[in-house]
Short mmCIF file of all heavy atoms in Angstrom, two decimals:
data_model
loop_
_atom_site.label_atom_id
_atom_site.label_comp_id
_atom_site.label_asym_id
_atom_site.label_seq_id
_atom_site.Cartn_x
_atom_site.Cartn_y
_atom_site.Cartn_z
N GLU A 16 14.32 6.28 -10.31
CA GLU A 16 14.54 7.23 -11.41
C GLU A 16 14.14 6.59 -12.75
O GLU A 16 13.59 7.25 -13.62
CB GLU A 16 16.00 7.69 -11.44
CG GLU A 16 16.35 8.72 -10.38
CD GLU A 16 16.17 8.21 -8.97
OE1 GLU A 16 16.90 7.30 -8.54
OE2 GLU A 16 15.26 8.73 -8.29
N TYR A 17 14.42 5.32 -12.86
CA TYR A 17 14.04 4.57 -14.06
C TYR A 17 12.52 4.58 -14.21
O TYR A 17 11.99 4.88 -15.27
CB TYR A 17 14.58 3.15 -13.91
CG TYR A 17 14.26 2.20 -15.04
CD1 TYR A 17 14.84 2.34 -16.29
CD2 TYR A 17 13.38 1.14 -14.83
CE1 TYR A 17 14.56 1.43 -17.31
CE2 TYR A 17 13.10 0.23 -15.84
CZ TYR A 17 13.69 0.39 -17.07
OH TYR A 17 13.40 -0.51 -18.07
N LEU A 18 11.83 4.28 -13.12
CA LEU A 18 10.36 4.25 -13.15
C LEU A 18 9.77 5.63 -13.42
O LEU A 18 8.73 5.76 -14.05
CB LEU A 18 9.81 3.72 -11.83
CG LEU A 18 9.78 2.19 -11.69
CD1 LEU A 18 9.64 1.79 -10.24
CD2 LEU A 18 8.63 1.62 -12.49
N GLN A 19 10.42 6.65 -12.92
CA GLN A 19 9.91 8.02 -13.11
C GLN A 19 10.39 8.64 -14.43
O GLN A 19 10.13 9.78 -14.69
CB GLN A 19 10.36 8.92 -11.94
CG GLN A 19 9.84 8.53 -10.59
CD GLN A 19 8.34 8.49 -10.50
OE1 GLN A 19 7.75 7.52 -10.06
NE2 GLN A 19 7.67 9.55 -10.95
N ARG A 20 11.12 7.83 -15.19
CA ARG A 20 11.69 8.33 -16.46
C ARG A 20 12.60 9.52 -16.26
O ARG A 20 12.55 10.50 -16.98
CB ARG A 20 10.59 8.71 -17.42
CG ARG A 20 9.74 7.51 -17.72
CD ARG A 20 8.77 7.67 -18.75
NE ARG A 20 8.02 6.45 -18.94
CZ ARG A 20 7.86 5.46 -18.07
NH1 ARG A 20 8.45 5.52 -16.91
NH2 ARG A 20 7.17 4.39 -18.35
N GLU A 21 13.43 9.41 -15.27
CA GLU A 21 14.38 10.48 -14.99
C GLU A 21 15.79 10.08 -15.37
O GLU A 21 16.75 10.69 -14.94
CB GLU A 21 14.33 10.87 -13.50
CG GLU A 21 13.02 11.50 -13.07
CD GLU A 21 12.92 12.97 -13.45
OE1 GLU A 21 13.92 13.57 -13.89
OE2 GLU A 21 11.81 13.52 -13.31
N VAL A 22 15.92 9.00 -16.14
CA VAL A 22 17.26 8.60 -16.60
C VAL A 22 17.33 8.77 -18.12
O VAL A 22 16.32 8.69 -18.80
CB VAL A 22 17.58 7.13 -16.22
CG1 VAL A 22 17.72 6.97 -14.72
CG2 VAL A 22 16.52 6.17 -16.74
N ASN A 23 18.52 9.02 -18.63
CA ASN A 23 18.63 9.20 -20.08
C ASN A 23 18.51 7.86 -20.81
O ASN A 23 18.51 6.80 -20.19
CB ASN A 23 19.92 9.94 -20.43
CG ASN A 23 21.16 9.14 -20.06
OD1 ASN A 23 21.18 7.91 -20.17
ND2 ASN A 23 22.20 9.83 -19.61
N GLU A 24 18.43 7.93 -22.11
CA GLU A 24 18.14 6.71 -22.89
C GLU A 24 19.19 5.62 -22.70
O GLU A 24 18.85 4.44 -22.58
CB GLU A 24 18.06 7.06 -24.37
CG GLU A 24 16.63 7.14 -24.87
CD GLU A 24 16.56 7.51 -26.34
OE1 GLU A 24 17.14 6.78 -27.16
OE2 GLU A 24 15.95 8.55 -26.65
N ASP A 25 20.46 6.02 -22.66
CA ASP A 25 21.53 5.02 -22.51
C ASP A 25 21.41 4.28 -21.18
O ASP A 25 21.50 3.05 -21.12
CB ASP A 25 22.91 5.70 -22.58
CG ASP A 25 23.22 6.18 -23.99
OD1 ASP A 25 22.49 5.75 -24.92
OD2 ASP A 25 24.18 6.96 -24.16
N LEU A 26 21.19 5.07 -20.15
CA LEU A 26 21.06 4.46 -18.82
C LEU A 26 19.81 3.59 -18.76
O LEU A 26 19.84 2.48 -18.21
CB LEU A 26 21.03 5.56 -17.75
CG LEU A 26 21.10 5.10 -16.29
CD1 LEU A 26 22.25 4.16 -16.05
CD2 LEU A 26 21.21 6.32 -15.37
N ALA A 27 18.74 4.08 -19.35
CA ALA A 27 17.49 3.30 -19.37
C ALA A 27 17.71 1.96 -20.06
O ALA A 27 17.26 0.91 -19.58
CB ALA A 27 16.38 4.08 -20.07
N ALA A 28 18.44 1.99 -21.17
CA ALA A 28 18.71 0.76 -21.91
C ALA A 28 19.55 -0.20 -21.06
O ALA A 28 19.29 -1.41 -21.02
CB ALA A 28 19.43 1.07 -23.22
N ALA A 29 20.54 0.35 -20.36
CA ALA A 29 21.41 -0.48 -19.52
C ALA A 29 20.61 -1.10 -18.38
O ALA A 29 20.78 -2.29 -18.06
CB ALA A 29 22.56 0.36 -18.96
N ILE A 30 19.71 -0.33 -17.80
CA ILE A 30 18.91 -0.85 -16.69
C ILE A 30 17.94 -1.92 -17.20
O ILE A 30 17.80 -2.98 -16.60
CB ILE A 30 18.15 0.28 -15.97
CG1 ILE A 30 19.14 1.23 -15.29
CG2 ILE A 30 17.17 -0.28 -14.94
CD1 ILE A 30 18.53 2.49 -14.72
N THR A 31 17.31 -1.64 -18.34
CA THR A 31 16.39 -2.64 -18.91
C THR A 31 17.12 -3.95 -19.17
O THR A 31 16.62 -5.03 -18.83
CB THR A 31 15.79 -2.13 -20.24
OG1 THR A 31 15.14 -0.89 -20.00
CG2 THR A 31 14.75 -3.11 -20.78
N ALA A 32 18.31 -3.85 -19.74
CA ALA A 32 19.08 -5.05 -20.04
C ALA A 32 19.44 -5.80 -18.76
O ALA A 32 19.35 -7.03 -18.69
CB ALA A 32 20.35 -4.68 -20.81
N HIS A 33 19.82 -5.04 -17.72
CA HIS A 33 20.18 -5.69 -16.47
C HIS A 33 18.97 -6.40 -15.85
O HIS A 33 19.06 -7.55 -15.43
CB HIS A 33 20.77 -4.70 -15.47
CG HIS A 33 21.14 -5.34 -14.17
ND1 HIS A 33 22.37 -5.90 -13.95
CD2 HIS A 33 20.41 -5.55 -13.04
CE1 HIS A 33 22.39 -6.42 -12.73
NE2 HIS A 33 21.21 -6.22 -12.15
N ILE A 34 17.84 -5.70 -15.84
CA ILE A 34 16.62 -6.26 -15.26
C ILE A 34 16.22 -7.54 -15.99
O ILE A 34 15.79 -8.52 -15.37
CB ILE A 34 15.47 -5.23 -15.31
CG1 ILE A 34 15.70 -4.14 -14.26
CG2 ILE A 34 14.11 -5.90 -15.05
CD1 ILE A 34 14.72 -2.98 -14.34
N ALA A 35 16.39 -7.53 -17.29
CA ALA A 35 16.00 -8.70 -18.07
C ALA A 35 16.88 -9.91 -17.76
O ALA A 35 16.48 -11.05 -17.96
CB ALA A 35 16.08 -8.37 -19.56
N ASN A 36 18.06 -9.65 -17.22
CA ASN A 36 18.98 -10.74 -16.95
C ASN A 36 19.22 -11.02 -15.47
O ASN A 36 20.07 -11.83 -15.13
CB ASN A 36 20.32 -10.47 -17.63
CG ASN A 36 20.20 -10.60 -19.13
OD1 ASN A 36 19.92 -11.68 -19.63
ND2 ASN A 36 20.37 -9.50 -19.83
#
Side-chain angles (χ1 to χ4, degrees):
Chain A
E16 283 61 67
Y17 179 70
L18 278 162
Q19 297 302 129
R20 299 188 180 22
E21 294 281 350
V22 293
N23 64 36
E24 258 179 59
D25 289 347
L26 188 51
I30 294 171
T31 304
H33 180 88
I34 287 173
N36 289 296

